[in-house]
Amino acid sequence: MFEGHPKGLWALALANTGERFGYYTMLAVFLFFLQDNFGFSMGTSSSIQAAFLGIVYFVPLFGGMLADKFGFGKMVTSGIVIMFLGYLLLSLPLGAGAVALGVMALALLFICVGTGLFKGNLQVLVGNLYDDPKYSAKRDEGFSIFYMAINLGSMFAAAVALSIMAWAQDSLGISKGDSYHYAFAVACLSLILSIAIYYAFRKTFAHADRAKAVSGTTEVVEEELTPAQTKERIICLCLVFAVVIFFWMAFHQNGITMNQFAREYTATSETGFMSLFLSKSFSFTDMRSIWNLVAVILLVYGILNIFQSKTMKGKLIAAALLLGAGGLLTYRALNVTGAVEVEAPIFQQFNPCFVVALTPIVMLVFSTLAKKGKEPSSPMKIGLGMLVAAAAFVVLLVGSWGLPIQGEQLAAVEAGTATLVSPNWLISTYLVLTVAELLLSPIGISFVSKVAPPQYKGMMMGGWFVATAIGNFLISIPGLLWGKTELYVVWGVLIAICLVSALFIFSILKRLEKVA
């Protein structure tokens, strides 16, 4: 499943890995930074984060328009430089006054503009690699691999953010509010790595940075479309974007209501086997929970490759992975002692870990179906993704059934009488939500790269992010409901939105499949 792809895919994926690591390191603790450093309420903090997430995904529309005119590579480079300046400003410990607020606002603006120039245009370069007929049949697969690779960066983000903050507090005597800036500084370093990879391996994808993709020395001729065909493709993409809005509104609750649920309603300690994935150490060489999750990933890859590898050498390597990872987890499980402290941001490491672990399984399922001529179309996968997203919030609804609203819960916590639920409810929700993400996000990006009219590729990829932006603006709605209504109402709203979106995509399925 990892064979037969253009070399440029790996270079672009790794360049994005560095950028995403920095972004999610910052995002893992940003909501709590607003509360702990500036003293903002949950409503105000969630509104600020929603505005930031909205803008950061809206700007790629203009970044794509500029790239259609001036080139994708130039915009990607400009974006990295501007993002670096944004994270550098955010890492300055300026306190909580007016100056600090102003600098934070400027930093967020730089991050938004830089991301707008970088993210969508990098994905267009990936799509252009698959315009070559030699690779075109592997487009969905390629974007799934790309999506998996960039999640390797975000996988370590929450653990690193918490570790460096704890190190700053314990070793340097830094206050909690100021320690967040040390986590933000990590993003500066990750962007340096990202740009280094981008330029070191640029030769492998330089041919994709053109209006017409080139394979070797042969130009790949773009499909000529009539005005009517161009219009129909744009309409179909806009219909998909309408559904994507509500997926991201639901998905990005991971930084809002799900994060707050982790802080206020989830047990603050855990024992037994699951504690292996929630424990932490403040040493960068011993972030235990994340390395245990890496072992799970290696276990999955080992099992898959024992059956899939075509050579004995490959099977032996897979067996070694299986035995090594399995042995490590068994040893640690048998030596679990006592309870470990659970902090809310740690849950955000599960989604990227699940992406990396589940991507080859999802690819294998669809590859098997493709061989039988039964693989669902890209629009069908998107619809199925919305159904699975609804199921994820059903899990959380069941787990939080009967719990009081925020005010009553905080009073009970203060009195020591609160009911706190098992971390497994949130972990299970992240697992199901990740399956939904794999059905929708990489497949949707692949669909855009394939269907977008050649002269509007940058703008249409930007349109995907505009849909994400609108969804991010809307994430504050459940945040505003938080504390004012029962928890089942908050999760029920998200379930209903996902179900209605799924019904919509299925109602226009034939129209979408005609242009795919």
Side-chain angles (χ1 to χ4, degrees), residues 137-468:
K138 288 183 169 286
R139 185 183 295 265
D140 278 6
E141 242 183 42
F143 272 99
S144 292
I145 293 172
F146 176 79
Y147 202 76
M148 177 194 70
I150 63 176
N151 272 274
L152 284 171
S154 55
M155 184 170 76
F156 290 89
V160 169
L162 290 174
S163 293
I164 196 169
M165 286 173 59
W167 171 78
Q169 293 172 50
D170 296 342
S171 301
L172 302 180
I174 302 297
S175 69
K176 185 176 182 181
D178 286 338
S179 68
Y180 287 95
H181 298 288
Y182 286 79
F184 301 150
V186 172
C188 297
L189 299 176
S190 67
L191 284 181
I192 293 173
L193 177 62
S194 182
I195 194 67
I197 293 171
Y198 181 83
Y199 275 99
F201 299 98
R202 198 171 188 279
K203 288 183 179 180
T204 63
F205 58 84
H207 60 279
D209 187 17
R210 304 184 184 184
K212 293 184 178 180
V214 177
S215 172
T217 57
T218 306
E219 192 174 80
V220 178
V221 180
E222 297 279 10
E223 181 181 1
E224 294 291 336
L225 301 176
T226 66
Q229 289 174 319
T230 298
K231 180 180 178 181
E232 177 62 10
R233 289 193 176 200
I234 292 175
I235 290 173
C236 286
L237 287 173
C238 288
L239 292 173
V240 171
F241 296 159
V243 171
V244 169
I245 288 172
F246 297 106
F247 174 76
W248 292 119
M249 175 188 174
F251 181 84
H252 280 137
Q253 292 305 310
N254 59 359
I256 303 292
T257 55
M258 292 172 69
N259 217 7
Q260 205 69 17
F261 183 82
R263 193 180 220 189
E264 296 173 357
Y265 291 90
T266 301
T268 56
S269 65
E270 179 71 356
T271 59
F273 180 73
M274 288 307 298
S275 69
L276 293 177
F277 310 107
L278 293 165
S279 63
K280 62 185 183 300
S281 170
F282 299 141
S283 164
F284 291 109
T285 59
D286 186 26
M287 295 182 293
R288 287 190 292 272
S289 64
I290 194 67
W291 292 119
N292 289 336
L293 286 169
V294 169
V296 172
I297 292 170
L298 294 177
L299 195 67
V300 171
Y301 280 54
I303 293 172
L304 288 175
N305 282 288
I306 279 179
F307 295 101
Q308 286 194 301
S309 183
K310 298 176 182 177
T311 65
M312 181 56 67
K313 180 181 178 181
K315 290 182 183 293
L316 289 174
I317 293 173
L321 282 178
L322 181 60
L323 291 172
L328 175 64
L329 288 173
T330 301
Y331 171 78
R332 290 194 168 177
L334 292 174
N335 288 276
V336 170
T337 56
V340 299
E341 181 185 356
V342 177
E343 291 191 17
I346 203 70
F347 287 98
Q348 294 186 44
Q349 70 185 8
F350 286 100
N351 170 246
C353 286
F354 287 150
V355 168
V356 177
L358 294 176
T359 293
I361 297 175
V362 172
M363 290 172 61
L364 178 61
V365 169
F366 287 133
S367 175
T368 302
L369 290 174
K371 291 176 182 178
K372 298 179 180 180
K374 296 181 179 180
E375 183 182 11
S377 64
S378 293
M380 173 64 81
K381 292 175 185 175
I382 293 172
L384 293 173
M386 293 307 302
L387 288 179
V388 177
F393 287 102
V394 169
V395 173
L396 198 51
L397 185 149
V398 173
S400 57
W401 190 265
L403 295 176
I405 63 174
Q406 183 187 38
E408 297 173 3
Q409 177 72 3
L410 293 178
V413 170
E414 185 83 17
T417 60
T419 298
L420 299 174
V421 303
S422 167
N424 292 334
W425 287 107
L426 266 176
I427 295 171
S428 298
T429 301
Y430 275 114
L431 176 63
V432 180
L433 198 56
T434 300
V435 175
E437 181 186 10
L438 291 174
L439 288 170
L440 191 142
S441 189
I443 303 304
I445 297 169
S446 174
F447 182 74
V448 174
S449 75
K450 180 181 180 181
V451 172
Q455 68 272 36
Y456 299 123
K457 279 190 174 183
M459 185 173 70
M460 288 294 98
M461 190 62 76
W464 170 271
F465 289 107
V466 168
T468 309

Side-chain angles (χ1 to χ4, degrees), residues 115-126:
T115 304
L117 294 173
F118 175 86
K119 190 167 174 58
N121 292 322
L122 194 79
Q123 292 179 175
V124 172
L125 291 176
V126 174

Side-chain angles (χ1 to χ4, degrees), residues 451-493:
V451 172
Q455 68 272 36
Y456 299 123
K457 279 190 174 183
M459 185 173 70
M460 288 294 98
M461 190 62 76
W464 170 271
F465 289 107
V466 168
T468 309
I470 297 172
N472 288 335
F473 276 123
L474 296 178
I475 66 171
S476 62
I477 294 176
L480 294 172
L481 290 174
W482 194 264
K484 298 180 177 65
T485 186
E486 302 288 345
L487 291 179
Y488 69 80
V489 175
V490 177
W491 311 134
V493 167

